Amino acid sequence: MNSFTSVIIPHLIGLFFIVLGWYISILNVGLARFQTNVLFSRWTLIGLILIVLGAYIPNAWGLIRRKKS
């Protein structure tokens, strides 16, 4: 059971960051739909960074756990 939770927790955290980044990006594009350069703004960049961060959290978490033990 300990192994199962040690795998599920980082994946849930990564999924949270992916969904949060997606939500920030979609919300920004929807709210600023009649402006120019909507797709390349500070908020969409933050959303992209959160999505990439969420994708790599489980691998980094596992690497850190293996280095500790």
Side-chain angles (χ1 to χ4, degrees), residues 31-46:
L31 290 175
R33 62 183 155 183
F34 296 116
Q35 296 176 1
T36 59
N37 292 332
V38 174
L39 296 178
F40 303 110
S41 68
R42 178 174 46 121
W43 290 105
T44 55
L45 181 63
I46 291 171

Side-chain angles (χ1 to χ4, degrees), residues 2-35:
N2 190 20
S3 173
F4 181 71
T5 57
S6 68
V7 171
I8 292 296
I9 291 173
H11 280 85
L12 287 178
I13 293 171
L15 182 64
F16 172 75
F17 277 112
I18 290 172
V19 170
L20 182 66
W22 174 79
Y23 182 75
I24 288 173
S25 295
I26 295 298
L27 184 67
N28 180 54
V29 170
L31 290 175
R33 62 183 155 183
F34 296 116
Q35 296 176 1

Side-chain angles (χ1 to χ4, degrees), residues 45-56:
L45 181 63
I46 291 171
L48 176 65
I49 289 170
L50 284 173
I51 291 169
V52 171
L53 180 70
Y56 286 107

